[in-house]
Amino acid sequence: MAAPAAVIKTSGGNAAFHNFHNDFAHIQDSNERRRLALAEIDKAPFGWYHVRACVVAGIGFFTDSYDIFAINLVTAMLGISFFQDSKSKGTIPVNSDTAIKVSTSGGTVLGQLGFGYLADVVGRKKMYGLELIIIIFATLAQALSSPSHAISITGLIIFWRVLMGIGIGGDYPLSSVITSEFATTKWRGAMMNAVFAMQGIGQLTAAIIALIVTAGFKESLETATKASTCTGVCQLAVDKMWRVVIGFGAVPGCIALYYRLTIPETPRYTFDIARDVEQAGLDSKAYLEGKSHGNPDEITRVATKIRASETLQVPKASFKDFIHHYSQWRFGKVLLGTAGSWFFLDVAYYGLGLNNSIILSAIGFSGGSNMYHIFYRTAVGNIILSCAGAIPGYWVSVATIDTFGRKTIQFMGFTMLVILFIVIGFAYDHLSGHALLALYVLAQFFFNFGPNSTTFIVPGECFPTRYRSSSHGFSAASGKVGAIIAQCVFGPLRTRGAVKGATGRAASPWLKHIMQIFALFMLCGLLTTFLIPETKRKTLEELAGEVPGTPNYDPVSAGHGADGKGYKNGSDDGVVVSGSEKNV
C-alpha cells in the first residue's frame, strides 16, 4: 500500500500577513484546497490581524504621499540654497521647478507598469519590499545631493526623483492587490481605502516636519527679509532644512520594510498563477526535528507540481488568454472604465493645486516680514488645508465604502466635482477669497470621498488574479499621465497673459478657464464610471467571472470549458462560489 503523500508548505508569514496556504496543505485535491483556502480568507471576521495588514501596506502610501507632497515645500528652499545669484535672486526657475515635480510622476508611470506586470509574472511576495527599498535609497540619495561643475542640483534631484518615482509607482498595484487578496470580502473596501487614506496623513506630516525645521532654525531665518537676501547663516539653515524634510521620508519606510519582505505569497497567486499546490512536503520529519515547516526535495516538488497543474481548473496566464479575456466587451470595458476614470480624475486633482498660492493668501498664510514668517505661514497653511478637506474626505470614504458601494461614491464624487468646478470657473471673478477657500475645501473633500479613493480600490478587485496587478498598474499609470498633463500643460497655461511682477489672481489670468476645462474632465470621469462594476460585498472570483450562476460568469475564463461542462463542484450539495457555497 502506497504511503500517503507528504505535505508541502510555502515559506513566509508574520503577524500582519497570515499564511493561509499552509492551513490546507494536507488536502490532496488542488481545486478543493483552493476552495477552502479562499473561503477562509473571504469569511474571516475583521480583527487586529487585518488592522496590522492595513498599517504595513499603508505605511508605504504614507511614504509615497510624503515624498510627493514634500517637494512642493522644498523647491522654495532649493531656490535659496542653489540659485542665490543676480539672475534668480534665491528663487528656483520655473522650468527647473516643473521638471523636478514632473520627474516623480514620470518615474511613477514606469513603476506602475513595470511592477504591476512583474507582480503577475514572478509573484507579489518577490516584488513587495523591493519598491520600498528603491524609495528609501532614492530618498536618502536626494537628501545627500550637492551640485558640482559637471552637474547641477536640478539634474541630480530629477535623476533621484525619477528613481524614487519608480518605487512609488510599484507601491500602487502591489499594496492594492496584496491588501485585496488578503482581505475579508465584507470589509475589503474599507481595508483598501484605509491603506490609500494614509496619503492624507503623509501630506499632513510633510507640512508638520517643515514647520518643525522652520521653528528649529528660527533665529537664522530671521536674519533675512526675503529670499534674495537669505545668505550666510540663513542660507546654511535653509540648506539643512530641505535635507531634513526630504530625508525624513525614509524613516517610515524603514519601519515597514521587515514586514514587507517577510509576507507570504498571497493564496490566490499561489493557486491561480504559481499553481504550487502539491502535497509532497516533509511535515512529519520537520515536526520531529522541531522545525516550523518541511523542506521538500525539489525534484519531487517539480514532478508533483506538473501533475497538479493538469487538474487545477483556473486557466493559465498567456498572451492569447489576455487578448481573449479583454476582447470581450464585458471585461474590456471595465479596464477602459478604471483607466479612463483615473486619467480624468488626476488631471483635475493635480491641477487643483494650481490654486494653492491664492488659497493661502486668502486665509492669510502667505508672505511675511522675514524668511521665518514666510516658511512658517506656508507650513501652517498647508496643515490647515490638509485637515480641512483632504483627510476628512479620505476617512469618510473608509467609513462608508462598504455600505454605499464604490460605484455610488465615485458617481456622487464626480457629480459634485462637476458642479464645484463650474462654480469656480464661471464665477471666479466674483468670488471672494473666503468663498474660493470654501469651494477649494469642498473640492478636496469630494475628491477623496469620491473618485480619488475608488479609482484606487476598484482596479484591485474587478480583474482576474492572473492579470489583476498588471491591470491595476495600467489603470494607475493612466492616472499619472493625467497628472503629468496637469503639471506640464495647465501649469504654464495658468500664467498666460500675466503681466511681469503681477501677484495674487493677476498672476494667473487663465486660471478660471482651466477650472472650466476641469469641469469637462470631471464630466468625462462621470461617464466612464458607468463602465465599472459595483464590487461591494462580492468575492474576487465572482467579479472575475469565475463563478457559475453569476452575471459575469465566463466558462472559458473560469477554466470550465466553452460550455461550462468542465466545471466540478467543490462539494456534493453546492456550487463553489469563490470559497463559499450557494445551494442549488
Side-chain angles (χ1 to χ4, degrees), residues 43 55 144 203 266 407 420 451 500:
K43 296 177 181 179
V55 170
L144 299 174
Q203 293 177 13
T266 68
K407 193 169 184 176
L420 289 169
K500 187 175 182 180

Side-chain angles (χ1 to χ4, degrees), residues 18-46:
H18 179 67
N19 194 329
F20 287 101
H21 182 279
N22 288 348
D23 290 347
F24 304 102
H26 62 284
I27 297 176
Q28 305 241 352
D29 181 78
S30 56
N31 292 293
E32 180 67 4
R33 284 184 61 191
R34 179 178 186 269
R35 185 186 73 83
L36 292 173
L38 299 188
E40 183 76 9
I41 299 170
D42 291 339
K43 296 177 181 179
F46 188 82

Side-chain angles (χ1 to χ4, degrees), residues 27-38 271-272 275 277 308-315 558-560 566-571 576 579:
I27 297 176
Q28 305 241 352
D29 181 78
S30 56
N31 292 293
E32 180 67 4
R33 284 184 61 191
R34 179 178 186 269
R35 185 186 73 83
L36 292 173
L38 299 188
F271 284 120
D272 296 0
R275 311 175 85 84
V277 294
S309 66
E310 297 174 354
T311 60
L312 198 62
Q313 295 173 348
V314 181
H560 301 157
Y567 176 67
K568 298 178 181 179
N569 288 342
S571 62
V576 177

